[in-house]
Amino acid sequence: MAMNAKIFSVMVLFVCLPAHAAVDGPARYQENCAKCHGVSGAADSFRGYLYFARNFTSGDWQRAKSDAYILDKINSGPRIMPSFEGSLSAEEKQALIQVIRGFNAKP
């Protein structure tokens, strides 16, 4: 009987634990980046022009910059951009890098 209670307890624990949801990169981008870098990644918003935000659709920029470089900029917040080092998890930052890479210009 004690074994059944243990098995039942473990099953209840697994059912009650929240599932680890995958990070929604596009939603994080919309929330944290699109105001300046634009919905399209082209920095074609008013704030993008005003703050000289990076255009992520530039093929030259995409080829020249590594993921480590992008992560460093997310963490450090260059120029007027805020730092996201303490406010985003490593998974959220990686999801943002994937979104940014998705803006790669077509040749």
Side-chain angles (χ1 to χ4, degrees):
M1 190 72 165
M3 184 62 126
N4 287 342
K6 286 180 183 179
I7 293 172
F8 179 74
S9 296
V10 170
M11 290 175 55
V12 168
L13 180 64
F14 281 119
V15 170
C16 293
L17 287 175
H20 180 48
V23 174
D24 186 351
R28 287 289 173 264
Y29 179 85
Q30 289 300 318
E31 179 181 337
N32 297 296
C33 312
K35 290 177 190 141
C36 296
H37 293 285
V39 173
S40 68
D44 53 358
S45 66
F46 177 74
R47 285 176 120 179
Y49 294 126
L50 184 64
Y51 299 138
F52 300 99
R54 173 67 54 212
N55 175 359
F56 296 137
T57 65
S58 166
D60 290 338
W61 182 85
Q62 288 277 350
R63 285 185 292 281
K65 305 304 179 194
S66 68
D67 289 356
Y69 174 88
I70 297 169
L71 178 61
D72 177 61
K73 297 307 175 188
I74 291 170
N75 284 328
S76 66
R79 298 187 309 264
I80 198 164
M81 182 178 136
S83 167
F84 292 99
E85 186 166 23
S87 60
L88 294 176
S89 69
E91 293 82 13
E92 290 171 315
K93 293 172 194 173
Q94 287 303 314
L96 284 176
I97 291 169
Q98 294 306 309
V99 171
I100 291 166
R101 289 300 188 194
F103 293 127
N104 194 4
K106 309 258 188 300

XYZ file of all heavy atoms in Angstrom:
822
model
N 0.817 -1.194 0.000
C 0.000 0.000 0.000
C 0.865 1.264 0.000
O 0.538 2.224 -0.654
C -0.931 -0.034 1.216
C -1.975 1.036 1.182
S -3.168 0.599 -0.074
C -4.452 1.680 0.342
N 1.973 1.238 0.757
C 2.859 2.395 0.828
C 3.481 2.679 -0.542
O 3.705 3.833 -0.897
C 3.939 2.186 1.880
N 3.779 1.635 -1.296
C 4.352 1.809 -2.625
C 3.362 2.493 -3.555
O 3.736 3.378 -4.321
C 4.770 0.452 -3.191
C 5.446 0.571 -4.512
S 6.950 1.526 -4.364
C 8.095 0.422 -5.051
N 2.090 2.120 -3.479
C 1.066 2.759 -4.301
C 0.933 4.240 -3.959
O 0.742 5.081 -4.831
C -0.277 2.065 -4.130
C -0.312 0.724 -4.824
O 0.507 0.448 -5.697
N -1.242 -0.130 -4.422
N 1.038 4.566 -2.683
C 0.947 5.970 -2.261
C 2.119 6.766 -2.808
O 1.961 7.918 -3.233
C 0.887 6.064 -0.738
N 3.316 6.166 -2.836
C 4.497 6.850 -3.372
C 4.340 7.078 -4.873
O 4.633 8.147 -5.384
C 5.760 6.046 -3.085
C 6.193 6.096 -1.650
C 7.449 5.279 -1.445
C 7.840 5.267 0.019
N 9.033 4.464 0.260
N 3.903 6.057 -5.570
C 3.696 6.187 -7.011
C 2.641 7.252 -7.304
O 2.826 8.094 -8.177
C 3.305 4.829 -7.638
C 4.491 3.870 -7.556
C 2.859 5.002 -9.077
C 4.167 2.443 -7.968
N 1.571 7.231 -6.547
C 0.518 8.227 -6.720
C 1.057 9.633 -6.462
O 0.777 10.566 -7.205
C -0.661 7.925 -5.795
C -1.768 8.931 -5.902
C -2.604 8.940 -7.005
C -1.951 9.884 -4.907
C -3.616 9.866 -7.119
C -2.958 10.814 -5.013
C -3.798 10.820 -6.120
N 1.877 9.792 -5.424
C 2.449 11.104 -5.086
C 3.341 11.620 -6.213
O 3.294 12.794 -6.573
C 3.248 11.017 -3.788
O 2.420 10.690 -2.714
N 4.144 10.743 -6.766
C 5.026 11.135 -7.871
C 4.204 11.529 -9.092
O 4.498 12.531 -9.756
C 6.016 9.995 -8.197
C 6.763 10.273 -9.489
C 6.991 9.797 -7.047
N 3.168 10.778 -9.394
C 2.313 11.099 -10.539
C 1.625 12.443 -10.349
O 1.562 13.253 -11.276
C 1.285 9.981 -10.762
C 1.911 8.701 -11.269
S 0.742 7.324 -11.392
C -0.530 7.974 -12.412
N 1.131 12.711 -9.158
C 0.488 13.995 -8.873
C 1.490 15.130 -9.030
O 1.185 16.189 -9.593
C -0.144 14.002 -7.459
C -0.540 15.403 -7.036
C -1.338 13.069 -7.421
N 2.711 14.916 -8.568
C 3.747 15.934 -8.682
C 4.004 16.291 -10.139
O 4.062 17.455 -10.506
C 5.033 15.434 -8.014
C 6.221 16.385 -8.042
C 5.903 17.646 -7.253
C 7.450 15.712 -7.491
N 4.137 15.284 -10.988
C 4.384 15.542 -12.405
C 3.215 16.239 -13.084
O 3.404 17.103 -13.930
C 4.729 14.250 -13.152
C 6.145 13.819 -12.946
C 6.418 12.607 -12.360
C 7.200 14.620 -13.316
C 7.716 12.188 -12.149
C 8.507 14.230 -13.120
C 8.774 13.006 -12.529
N 2.024 15.891 -12.728
C 0.842 16.507 -13.320
C 0.709 17.957 -12.875
O 0.322 18.827 -13.639
C -0.431 15.697 -12.972
C -1.680 16.446 -13.368
C -0.378 14.336 -13.636
N 1.072 18.229 -11.647
C 0.902 19.573 -11.088
C 2.022 20.537 -11.468
O 1.832 21.750 -11.413
C 0.792 19.512 -9.568
S -0.710 18.690 -9.022
N 3.186 20.010 -11.838
C 4.280 20.899 -12.212
C 3.957 21.571 -13.542
O 3.493 20.922 -14.473
C 5.585 20.113 -12.343
C 6.226 19.648 -11.057
C 7.446 18.787 -11.379
C 6.629 20.825 -10.193
N 4.245 22.873 -13.663
C 4.007 23.530 -14.945
C 5.002 23.033 -15.985
O 6.166 22.794 -15.673
C 4.225 25.018 -14.636
C 5.067 25.036 -13.415
C 4.752 23.781 -12.652
N 4.529 22.875 -17.168
C 5.404 22.452 -18.257
C 6.323 23.613 -18.620
O 5.927 24.773 -18.590
C 4.568 22.048 -19.464
N 7.566 23.293 -18.947
C 8.515 24.324 -19.348
C 8.212 24.702 -20.793
O 8.478 23.948 -21.715
C 9.936 23.812 -19.202
C 10.966 24.812 -19.588
N 10.956 26.105 -19.138
C 12.047 24.710 -20.390
C 11.980 26.745 -19.640
N 12.657 25.918 -20.406
N 7.615 25.836 -20.967
C 7.210 26.272 -22.295
C 8.413 26.834 -23.051
O 9.289 27.459 -22.466
C 6.127 27.339 -22.184
N 8.440 26.590 -24.331
C 9.482 27.163 -25.170
C 9.312 28.677 -25.219
O 8.202 29.196 -25.153
C 9.386 26.577 -26.574
N 10.420 29.368 -25.333
C 10.394 30.822 -25.392
C 9.844 31.253 -26.747
O 10.258 30.740 -27.786
C 11.815 31.388 -25.180
C 11.830 32.892 -25.379
C 12.336 31.026 -23.802
N 8.931 32.178 -26.727
C 8.351 32.730 -27.945
C 9.217 33.903 -28.400
O 9.018 35.038 -27.982
C 6.908 33.173 -27.667
C 6.186 33.628 -28.916
O 6.831 33.760 -29.979
O 4.968 33.870 -28.824
N 10.200 33.599 -29.244
C 11.138 34.615 -29.721
C 10.475 35.800 -30.396
O 10.778 36.952 -30.073
N 9.554 35.565 -31.339
C 8.890 36.695 -31.988
C 8.131 37.588 -31.000
O 8.136 38.818 -31.131
C 7.944 36.032 -32.989
C 8.638 34.752 -33.338
C 9.259 34.307 -32.030
N 7.517 36.995 -29.984
C 6.815 37.805 -28.984
C 7.802 38.631 -28.170
O 7.546 39.807 -27.870
C 5.982 36.919 -28.067
N 8.951 38.033 -27.812
C 9.978 38.778 -27.069
C 10.523 39.908 -27.934
O 10.793 40.996 -27.447
C 11.132 37.860 -26.656
C 10.809 36.928 -25.567
C 10.657 37.687 -24.232
N 10.178 36.796 -23.222
C 8.905 36.670 -22.889
N 7.986 37.383 -23.481
N 8.529 35.825 -21.960
N 10.711 39.642 -29.223
C 11.194 40.687 -30.131
C 10.186 41.838 -30.187
O 10.566 43.006 -30.088
C 11.436 40.117 -31.536
C 11.915 41.173 -32.506
C 13.258 41.496 -32.593
C 11.016 41.863 -33.320
C 13.701 42.481 -33.461
C 11.447 42.849 -34.184
C 12.790 43.154 -34.255
O 13.220 44.150 -35.104
N 8.914 41.517 -30.348
C 7.880 42.558 -30.398
C 7.875 43.385 -29.116
O 7.735 44.600 -29.154
C 6.498 41.947 -30.621
C 6.282 41.384 -31.999
C 6.436 42.435 -33.083
O 5.978 43.550 -32.962
N 7.121 42.069 -34.148
N 8.040 42.714 -27.996
C 7.986 43.377 -26.693
C 9.210 44.247 -26.420
O 9.086 45.346 -25.875
C 7.865 42.309 -25.610
C 7.810 42.842 -24.206
C 7.719 41.718 -23.184
O 7.268 40.607 -23.519
O 8.122 41.968 -22.040
N 10.398 43.776 -26.821
C 11.630 44.438 -26.414
C 12.399 45.152 -27.525
O 13.235 45.992 -27.221
C 12.577 43.418 -25.767
C 12.010 42.826 -24.509
O 11.797 43.528 -23.539
N 11.739 41.536 -24.529
N 12.144 44.812 -28.769
C 13.015 45.286 -29.842
C 12.315 46.072 -30.952
O 12.909 46.971 -31.553
C 13.730 44.107 -30.489
S 14.492 42.963 -29.332
N 11.082 45.693 -31.260
C 10.412 46.216 -32.458
C 10.176 47.720 -32.424
O 10.098 48.341 -33.479
C 9.091 45.480 -32.693
N 10.068 48.300 -31.240
C 9.831 49.750 -31.175
C 10.917 50.521 -31.896
O 10.639 51.554 -32.498
C 9.746 50.205 -29.725
C 8.512 49.739 -29.017
C 8.537 50.164 -27.558
C 7.412 49.489 -26.821
N 7.804 49.073 -25.484
N 12.135 50.041 -31.817
C 13.250 50.732 -32.473
C 13.729 50.015 -33.738
O 14.039 50.670 -34.735
C 14.419 50.885 -31.500
S 14.043 51.923 -30.079
N 13.807 48.694 -33.687
C 14.331 47.945 -34.827
C 13.262 47.618 -35.859
O 13.579 47.083 -36.919
C 15.018 46.666 -34.350
C 16.258 46.941 -33.559
N 17.444 47.339 -34.132
C 16.482 46.909 -32.222
C 18.348 47.524 -33.188
N 17.785 47.273 -32.009
N 12.000 47.951 -35.564
C 10.918 47.752 -36.509
C 10.396 46.330 -36.527
O 11.124 45.390 -36.210
N 9.156 46.197 -36.908
C 8.526 44.877 -37.013
C 9.257 44.037 -38.047
O 9.457 42.837 -37.866
C 7.028 45.028 -37.375
C 6.396 43.684 -37.653
C 6.289 45.760 -36.266
N 9.715 44.672 -39.110
C 10.406 43.959 -40.187
C 11.885 43.764 -39.915
O 12.573 43.106 -40.693
C 10.245 44.734 -41.495
O 10.977 45.956 -41.419
N 12.412 44.365 -38.845
C 13.836 44.290 -38.545
C 14.669 45.321 -39.283
O 15.883 45.382 -39.131
N 14.021 46.163 -40.080
C 14.735 47.135 -40.908
C 14.962 48.474 -40.217
O 15.453 49.410 -40.851
C 13.978 47.349 -42.213
N 14.611 48.574 -38.944
C 14.757 49.826 -38.183
C 14.029 50.961 -38.889
O 14.494 52.098 -38.919
C 16.222 50.159 -37.952
N 12.873 50.646 -39.458
C 12.128 51.610 -40.261
C 10.983 52.257 -39.481
O 9.997 52.690 -40.063
C 11.609 50.954 -41.534
C 10.819 49.688 -41.265
O 10.697 49.289 -40.086
O 10.333 49.085 -42.232
N 11.154 52.333 -38.173
C 10.165 53.009 -37.334
C 10.674 54.409 -36.995
O 11.859 54.720 -37.192
C 9.945 52.223 -36.034
O 11.131 52.248 -35.252
N 9.804 55.254 -36.479
C 10.223 56.598 -36.081
C 11.372 56.525 -35.081
O 12.376 57.218 -35.218
C 9.040 57.381 -35.486
C 9.428 58.741 -34.985
C 9.702 59.768 -35.867
C 9.566 58.975 -33.624
C 10.089 61.017 -35.411
C 9.954 60.213 -33.154
C 10.212 61.239 -34.049
N 11.218 55.672 -34.075
C 12.278 55.517 -33.076
C 13.549 54.964 -33.709
O 14.654 55.331 -33.314
C 11.831 54.592 -31.953
C 10.874 55.223 -30.998
C 10.430 54.207 -29.986
N 10.784 54.657 -28.655
C 10.499 53.991 -27.557
N 9.898 52.825 -27.641
N 10.828 54.465 -26.396
N 13.391 54.081 -34.667
C 14.558 53.528 -35.355
C 15.367 54.607 -36.035
O 16.598 54.633 -35.944
N 14.672 55.512 -36.724
C 15.359 56.626 -37.375
C 15.962 57.573 -36.342
O 17.090 58.018 -36.472
C 14.395 57.407 -38.269
C 13.890 56.627 -39.465
C 12.531 56.499 -39.702
C 14.767 56.031 -40.366
C 12.060 55.784 -40.792
C 14.304 55.317 -41.458
C 12.950 55.204 -41.664
O 12.491 54.507 -42.738
N 15.198 57.876 -35.323
C 15.620 58.822 -34.297
C 16.859 58.334 -33.547
O 17.774 59.113 -33.273
C 14.473 59.065 -33.313
C 14.684 60.099 -32.227
C 14.862 61.488 -32.837
C 13.489 60.102 -31.269
N 16.905 57.047 -33.239
C 18.003 56.489 -32.444
C 19.057 55.774 -33.281
O 19.973 55.163 -32.725
C 17.453 55.523 -31.391
C 16.516 56.162 -30.411
C 15.360 55.512 -30.010
C 16.766 57.421 -29.877
C 14.492 56.091 -29.093
C 15.902 58.008 -28.970
C 14.769 57.334 -28.584
O 13.911 57.907 -27.677
N 18.947 55.823 -34.600
C 19.899 55.164 -35.490
C 20.026 53.677 -35.148
O 21.123 53.127 -35.020
C 21.280 55.841 -35.436
C 21.244 57.285 -35.836
C 21.220 58.287 -34.872
C 21.213 57.644 -37.171
C 21.178 59.615 -35.237
C 21.164 58.984 -37.550
C 21.151 59.963 -36.572
N 18.892 53.036 -35.001
C 18.859 51.620 -34.643
C 19.423 50.771 -35.778
O 19.358 51.138 -36.946
C 17.423 51.186 -34.333
N 19.954 49.629 -35.419
C 20.550 48.694 -36.381
C 19.484 48.101 -37.287
O 18.422 47.699 -36.837
C 21.253 47.574 -35.599
C 21.774 46.441 -36.432
C 22.915 46.804 -37.354
N 23.990 47.430 -36.609
C 24.789 48.367 -37.144
N 24.622 48.762 -38.378
N 25.742 48.883 -36.422
N 19.784 48.028 -38.576
C 18.928 47.387 -39.567
C 19.342 45.919 -39.654
O 20.419 45.607 -40.160
C 19.090 48.085 -40.916
C 18.338 47.402 -42.033
O 17.693 46.382 -41.848
N 18.428 47.962 -43.218
N 18.511 45.034 -39.150
C 18.839 43.611 -39.133
C 18.642 42.929 -40.481
O 19.015 41.770 -40.636
C 17.989 42.877 -38.085
C 18.249 43.326 -36.669
C 17.189 43.528 -35.799
C 19.527 43.536 -36.201
C 17.405 43.917 -34.494
C 19.770 43.936 -34.897
C 18.704 44.121 -34.039
N 18.078 43.609 -41.463
C 17.854 42.981 -42.767
C 19.054 43.130 -43.693
O 19.043 42.583 -44.788
C 16.602 43.560 -43.463
O 16.827 44.936 -43.771
C 15.367 43.407 -42.591
N 20.073 43.845 -43.256
C 21.270 44.025 -44.066
C 22.058 42.726 -44.144
O 22.547 42.220 -43.130
C 22.149 45.129 -43.453
O 23.441 45.094 -44.035
N 22.188 42.205 -45.339
C 22.950 40.975 -45.537
C 24.405 41.133 -45.133
O 25.008 40.224 -44.560
N 24.984 42.300 -45.433
C 26.377 42.552 -45.046
C 26.530 42.499 -43.527
O 27.476 41.902 -43.014
C 26.844 43.914 -45.568
C 27.006 43.934 -47.073
O 27.173 42.854 -47.682
O 26.965 45.043 -47.647
N 25.597 43.119 -42.810
C 25.662 43.108 -41.353
C 25.485 41.683 -40.828
O 26.225 41.249 -39.948
C 24.599 44.037 -40.751
C 24.676 44.095 -39.265
C 25.479 44.894 -38.519
C 23.941 43.290 -38.332
N 25.301 44.639 -37.182
C 24.357 43.659 -37.043
C 22.980 42.300 -38.464
C 23.842 43.069 -35.890
C 22.467 41.714 -37.317
C 22.899 42.102 -36.049
N 24.523 40.954 -41.375
C 24.269 39.583 -40.937
C 25.507 38.702 -41.121
O 25.843 37.905 -40.239
C 23.084 38.980 -41.705
C 21.745 39.543 -41.332
C 21.161 38.881 -40.102
O 21.665 37.879 -39.614
N 20.079 39.453 -39.606
N 26.192 38.848 -42.256
C 27.378 38.035 -42.512
C 28.554 38.452 -41.630
O 29.374 37.616 -41.234
C 27.780 38.122 -43.991
C 26.870 37.318 -44.907
C 27.363 37.325 -46.347
N 27.264 38.630 -46.976
C 26.134 39.164 -47.467
N 25.008 38.481 -47.393
N 26.127 40.350 -48.021
N 28.653 39.724 -41.298
C 29.801 40.246 -40.549
C 29.704 40.013 -39.047
O 30.724 40.011 -38.358
C 29.960 41.743 -40.824
N 28.511 39.815 -38.523
C 28.326 39.729 -37.070
C 28.005 38.313 -36.631
O 27.140 37.648 -37.198
C 27.204 40.666 -36.605
C 27.399 42.117 -37.023
C 28.728 42.679 -36.559
C 28.891 44.112 -37.010
N 30.234 44.610 -36.884
N 28.689 37.874 -35.588
C 28.465 36.538 -35.032
C 27.321 36.567 -34.023
O 26.927 37.642 -33.549
C 29.736 36.046 -34.341
O 29.984 36.834 -33.179
N 26.837 35.392 -33.676
C 25.821 35.307 -32.627
C 26.370 35.833 -31.302
O 25.645 36.466 -30.536
C 25.339 33.860 -32.456
C 24.488 33.385 -33.623
O 24.198 34.188 -34.537
O 24.107 32.202 -33.624
N 27.655 35.580 -31.038
C 28.282 36.076 -29.809
C 28.284 37.609 -29.781
O 28.064 38.218 -28.726
C 29.698 35.538 -29.679
N 28.503 38.225 -30.927
C 28.471 39.686 -31.019
C 27.070 40.209 -30.696
O 26.900 41.158 -29.926
C 28.897 40.123 -32.422
C 28.750 41.601 -32.667
C 29.775 42.483 -32.363
C 27.567 42.129 -33.203
C 29.641 43.839 -32.580
C 27.430 43.483 -33.418
C 28.466 44.335 -33.107
O 28.317 45.685 -33.321
N 26.060 39.578 -31.280
C 24.674 39.999 -31.039
C 24.325 39.825 -29.562
O 23.732 40.719 -28.955
C 23.696 39.215 -31.942
C 23.985 39.518 -33.421
C 22.248 39.560 -31.598
C 23.247 38.602 -34.391
N 24.724 38.704 -28.979
C 24.472 38.464 -27.556
C 25.140 39.536 -26.699
O 24.539 40.044 -25.747
C 24.964 37.071 -27.155
C 24.799 36.712 -25.685
C 23.323 36.745 -25.274
C 25.406 35.346 -25.404
N 26.353 39.902 -27.051
C 27.053 40.954 -26.307
C 26.279 42.265 -26.368
O 26.156 42.973 -25.361
C 28.466 41.144 -26.857
C 29.191 42.266 -26.153
O 29.384 42.170 -24.925
O 29.553 43.255 -26.828
N 25.734 42.596 -27.516
C 24.976 43.845 -27.660
C 23.649 43.778 -26.898
O 23.204 44.775 -26.336
C 24.732 44.177 -29.137
C 26.007 44.422 -29.913
C 26.877 45.459 -29.243
C 28.194 45.629 -29.947
N 29.129 46.483 -29.224
N 23.014 42.615 -26.877
C 21.791 42.447 -26.080
C 22.121 42.661 -24.602
O 21.382 43.333 -23.881
C 21.167 41.054 -26.312
C 20.602 40.942 -27.726
C 20.075 40.771 -25.275
C 20.188 39.534 -28.132
N 23.250 42.125 -24.166
C 23.642 42.244 -22.765
C 24.126 43.641 -22.392
O 23.830 44.129 -21.306
C 24.741 41.233 -22.423
C 24.204 39.836 -22.266
O 23.073 39.637 -21.826
N 25.006 38.851 -22.633
N 24.868 44.281 -23.281
C 25.492 45.560 -22.928
C 24.623 46.771 -23.252
O 24.790 47.822 -22.646
C 26.841 45.699 -23.622
O 26.680 45.785 -25.029
N 23.730 46.641 -24.224
C 22.896 47.779 -24.586
C 23.704 48.925 -25.191
O 23.927 49.933 -24.545
N 24.172 48.785 -26.428
C 24.996 49.839 -27.027
C 24.214 51.145 -27.227
O 22.999 51.123 -27.399
C 25.414 49.244 -28.368
C 24.341 48.267 -28.695
C 23.868 47.728 -27.374
N 24.941 52.226 -27.185
C 24.366 53.568 -27.360
C 23.152 53.750 -26.458
O 23.240 53.575 -25.252
C 24.053 53.811 -28.844
C 25.299 53.772 -29.723
C 25.043 54.178 -31.160
N 23.955 53.498 -31.823
C 24.097 52.441 -32.604
N 25.277 51.931 -32.807
N 23.054 51.907 -33.185
N 22.017 54.084 -27.031
C 20.821 54.383 -26.226
C 20.002 53.133 -25.885
O 19.124 53.178 -25.040
C 19.952 55.442 -26.945
C 18.991 56.070 -25.958
C 19.253 54.840 -28.148
C 18.382 57.357 -26.442
N 20.334 52.015 -26.505
C 19.599 50.772 -26.242
C 19.824 50.322 -24.798
O 20.955 50.318 -24.317
C 20.089 49.678 -27.198
C 19.376 48.352 -27.047
S 20.016 47.172 -28.262
C 20.166 45.729 -27.217
N 18.747 49.906 -24.115
C 18.930 49.423 -22.739
C 19.612 48.050 -22.718
O 19.538 47.294 -23.675
C 17.499 49.308 -22.204
C 16.657 49.120 -23.418
C 17.341 49.889 -24.525
N 20.273 47.774 -21.630
C 20.877 46.461 -21.414
C 19.790 45.479 -20.991
O 18.931 45.804 -20.180
C 21.932 46.551 -20.317
O 22.300 45.262 -19.893
N 19.851 44.273 -21.548
C 18.908 43.226 -21.170
C 19.624 42.099 -20.425
O 19.083 41.011 -20.287
C 18.195 42.674 -22.410
C 17.263 43.674 -23.033
C 17.655 44.413 -24.135
C 16.007 43.885 -22.501
C 16.800 45.341 -24.710
C 15.143 44.817 -23.060
C 15.545 45.547 -24.168
N 20.832 42.378 -19.937
C 21.627 41.342 -19.279
C 20.897 40.701 -18.106
O 20.881 39.489 -17.968
C 22.958 41.918 -18.807
C 23.878 40.863 -18.251
C 25.295 41.365 -18.094
O 25.503 42.584 -17.991
O 26.192 40.518 -18.075
N 20.270 41.509 -17.258
C 19.611 40.967 -16.086
C 18.119 40.755 -16.236
O 17.489 40.151 -15.372
N 17.548 41.227 -17.321
C 16.092 41.161 -17.449
C 15.592 40.058 -18.372
O 14.400 39.749 -18.371
C 15.540 42.510 -17.920
O 16.082 42.860 -19.174
N 16.474 39.462 -19.167
C 16.085 38.347 -20.038
C 16.920 37.124 -19.687
O 18.112 37.240 -19.385
C 16.316 38.696 -21.513
C 15.464 39.810 -22.112
C 15.904 40.085 -23.547
C 13.993 39.475 -22.052
N 16.305 35.960 -19.753
C 17.030 34.712 -19.498
C 17.919 34.380 -20.700
O 17.761 34.943 -21.789
C 16.043 33.575 -19.261
O 15.364 33.258 -20.473
N 18.824 33.448 -20.493
C 19.685 32.999 -21.589
C 18.852 32.437 -22.744
O 19.161 32.676 -23.917
C 20.671 31.949 -21.080
N 17.767 31.727 -22.411
C 16.896 31.166 -23.442
C 16.193 32.269 -24.229
O 16.046 32.172 -25.450
C 15.859 30.221 -22.825
C 16.440 28.960 -22.228
C 17.003 29.153 -20.817
O 16.735 30.205 -20.184
O 17.723 28.262 -20.345
N 15.766 33.310 -23.540
C 15.099 34.429 -24.224
C 16.067 35.153 -25.150
O 15.708 35.526 -26.270
C 14.516 35.403 -23.203
C 13.321 34.851 -22.454
C 12.891 35.720 -21.300
O 13.764 36.187 -20.520
O 11.671 35.937 -21.167
N 17.298 35.323 -24.706
C 18.309 35.981 -25.543
C 18.609 35.150 -26.779
O 18.734 35.696 -27.884
C 19.576 36.236 -24.733
C 19.386 37.258 -23.633
C 20.602 37.322 -22.744
C 20.302 38.075 -21.474
N 21.429 38.008 -20.525
N 18.726 33.825 -26.611
C 18.969 32.964 -27.765
C 17.787 33.006 -28.738
O 17.979 32.992 -29.956
C 19.256 31.525 -27.319
C 20.618 31.353 -26.684
C 21.753 31.789 -27.592
O 21.794 31.465 -28.773
N 22.684 32.552 -27.035
N 16.583 33.080 -28.205
C 15.401 33.188 -29.064
C 15.429 34.495 -29.840
O 15.072 34.534 -31.025
C 14.130 33.083 -28.223
N 15.866 35.581 -29.202
C 15.976 36.866 -29.902
C 17.024 36.796 -31.010
O 16.811 37.332 -32.102
C 16.331 37.986 -28.925
C 15.210 38.479 -28.036
C 15.730 39.514 -27.045
C 14.075 39.068 -28.863
N 18.138 36.142 -30.741
C 19.171 35.992 -31.771
C 18.611 35.248 -32.973
O 18.857 35.632 -34.125
C 20.414 35.286 -31.198
C 21.120 36.210 -30.194
C 21.372 34.859 -32.311
C 22.206 35.541 -29.379
N 17.818 34.210 -32.736
C 17.208 33.466 -33.844
C 16.254 34.347 -34.657
O 16.222 34.265 -35.889
C 16.486 32.219 -33.329
C 17.425 31.189 -32.727
C 18.545 30.805 -33.678
O 18.301 30.463 -34.831
N 19.773 30.890 -33.199
N 15.487 35.194 -33.958
C 14.593 36.109 -34.668
C 15.414 37.083 -35.509
O 15.114 37.317 -36.685
C 13.678 36.875 -33.675
C 12.908 37.980 -34.386
C 12.723 35.918 -32.994
N 16.463 37.642 -34.933
C 17.319 38.594 -35.649
C 17.941 37.924 -36.871
O 17.971 38.514 -37.957
C 18.392 39.165 -34.699
C 17.728 40.071 -33.661
C 19.482 39.903 -35.472
C 18.602 40.440 -32.477
N 18.397 36.705 -36.713
C 18.967 35.969 -37.859
C 17.907 35.704 -38.924
O 18.215 35.632 -40.118
C 19.581 34.646 -37.399
C 20.847 34.815 -36.606
C 21.895 35.509 -37.426
N 23.191 35.501 -36.734
C 24.187 36.262 -37.100
N 24.074 37.103 -38.131
N 25.325 36.227 -36.461
N 16.666 35.617 -38.532
C 15.581 35.397 -39.479
C 15.319 36.585 -40.394
O 14.651 36.448 -41.422
N 15.834 37.745 -40.039
C 15.669 38.942 -40.874
C 16.701 39.015 -41.980
O 16.728 39.976 -42.746
C 15.775 40.212 -40.035
C 14.648 40.408 -39.062
C 14.912 40.640 -37.723
C 13.339 40.381 -39.485
C 13.878 40.838 -36.819
C 12.290 40.576 -38.586
C 12.573 40.797 -37.256
N 17.564 38.029 -42.072
C 18.639 38.043 -43.052
C 18.091 38.357 -44.448
O 17.141 37.734 -44.904
C 19.358 36.694 -43.058
C 20.683 36.749 -43.785
O 21.128 37.796 -44.228
N 21.313 35.603 -43.884
N 18.702 39.329 -45.079
C 18.257 39.766 -46.421
C 18.460 38.647 -47.434
O 19.418 37.887 -47.365
C 19.027 41.001 -46.846
N 17.590 38.581 -48.369
C 17.713 37.623 -49.459
C 18.769 38.147 -50.441
O 18.812 39.321 -50.731
C 16.375 37.461 -50.166
C 15.211 37.180 -49.222
C 14.846 35.736 -49.234
C 13.592 35.432 -48.480
N 13.546 35.742 -47.100
N 19.633 37.258 -50.957
C 20.686 37.712 -51.892
C 20.134 38.230 -53.190
O 19.075 38.035 -53.613
C 21.541 36.475 -52.114
C 20.835 35.325 -51.521
C 19.703 35.841 -50.704
